[in-house]
C-alpha cells in the first residue's frame, strides 16, 4: 500500500481493483428499477387483453434497455474502478461512461469515512469517502471488502495525521 517517498506525485491509474463481489452489487442495484417495472407491465399485459398491444410495446421499451444496462454496466464499471493509497496520496479511477481519475495528496485530506448501504452490507462491501480541500469534491472508493476498507481508513487516518499541512 505504500510507495517510496522519492516517487513523484502524478496522475496515473491506481493499482487495486474493487472486489469481484461489486459486480453482483452493481447488478442488483441496476435491476431495482427495470425489473419491478417489467413485472408490473408484464402483469398488466396478462390481465388486460384489450391493452396488450400497448403494454407489449411498453414492456419491450423497458426490458431491452434495462436488460442491456444490467448486463453491461456492472462488468464495465468493474474494469474501470480502481483505487490505491500511498504515503503521499489517494488515487481513484471511477465511472463507466464518464470516467474520472483523481489524485488527492494526503496534505489536502480533511476527513476519511466509511460508507455502507444496505446492499453493500449484504455483499460484505464498503465504500470510503475521502473529503479533501478541493472544489472537485470527495474522492470515493466503492466496492471494496469491508475489512479492507476499515484498514484503509485506519492507514489514511494515521498517514494524514503525520503529514504536514492544514488541508486547506
Amino acid at each position: 500500500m505504500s510507495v517510496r517517498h522519492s516517487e513523484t506525485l502524478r496522475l496515473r491509474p491506481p493499482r487495486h481493483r474493487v472486489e469481484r463481489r461489486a459486480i453482483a452489487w452493481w447488478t442488483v442495484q441496476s435491476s431495482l428499477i427495470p425489473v419491478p417495472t417489467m413485472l408490473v407491465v408484464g402483469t398488466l399485459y396478462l390481465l388486460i387483453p384489450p391493452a396488450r398491444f400497448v403494454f407489449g410495446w411498453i414492456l419491450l421499451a423497458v426490458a431491452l434497455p434495462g436488460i442491456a444496462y444490467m448486463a453491461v454496466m456492472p462488468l464495465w464499471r468493474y474494469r474501470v474502478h480502481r483505487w490505491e493509497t500511498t504515503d503521499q496520496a489517494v488515487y481513484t479511477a471511477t465511472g463507466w461512461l464518464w470516467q474520472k481519475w483523481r489524485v488527492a495528496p494526503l496534505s489536502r485530506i480533511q476527513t476519511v469515512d466509511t460508507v455502507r448501504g444496505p446492499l453493500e452490507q449484504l455483499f460484505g462491501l464498503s465504500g470510503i469517502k475521502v473529503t479533501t480541500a478541493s472544489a472537485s469534491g470527495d474522492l470515493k472508493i466503492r466496492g471494496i471488502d469491508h475489512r479492507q476498507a476499515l484498514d484503509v481508513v485506519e492507514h489514511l487516518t494515521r498517514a494524514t495525521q503525520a503529514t504536514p499541512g492544514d488541508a486547506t
Side-chain angles (χ1 to χ4, degrees), residues 34 37-43 45 51-69:
T37 304
M38 287 186 284
L39 290 174
V40 168
V41 174
T43 301
Y45 175 87
R52 283 193 175 151
F53 178 78
V54 171
F55 287 125
W57 282 109
I58 293 172
L59 186 59
L60 277 175
V62 171
L64 293 178
I67 291 169
Y69 180 73

Side-chain angles (χ1 to χ4, degrees), residues 34-114:
V35 169
T37 304
M38 287 186 284
L39 290 174
V40 168
V41 174
T43 301
L44 293 172
Y45 175 87
L46 294 173
L47 295 177
I48 308 173
R52 283 193 175 151
F53 178 78
V54 171
F55 287 125
W57 282 109
I58 293 172
L59 186 59
L60 277 175
V62 171
L64 293 178
I67 291 169
Y69 180 73
M70 291 182 323
V72 172
M73 182 275 296
L75 295 171
W76 195 331
R77 281 181 80 176
Y78 179 74
R79 291 190 61 196
V80 172
H81 281 230
R82 301 227 193 283
W83 65 277
E84 182 179 356
T85 60
T86 68
D87 291 335
Q88 289 85 29
V90 176
Y91 297 81
T92 62
T94 59
W96 68 288
L97 286 180
W98 288 268
Q99 298 175 11
K100 183 178 0 178
W101 286 6
R102 295 203 42 211
V103 178
L106 293 186
S107 63
R108 304 292 286 167
I109 294 175
Q110 295 176 328
T111 62
V112 181
D113 305 300
T114 57

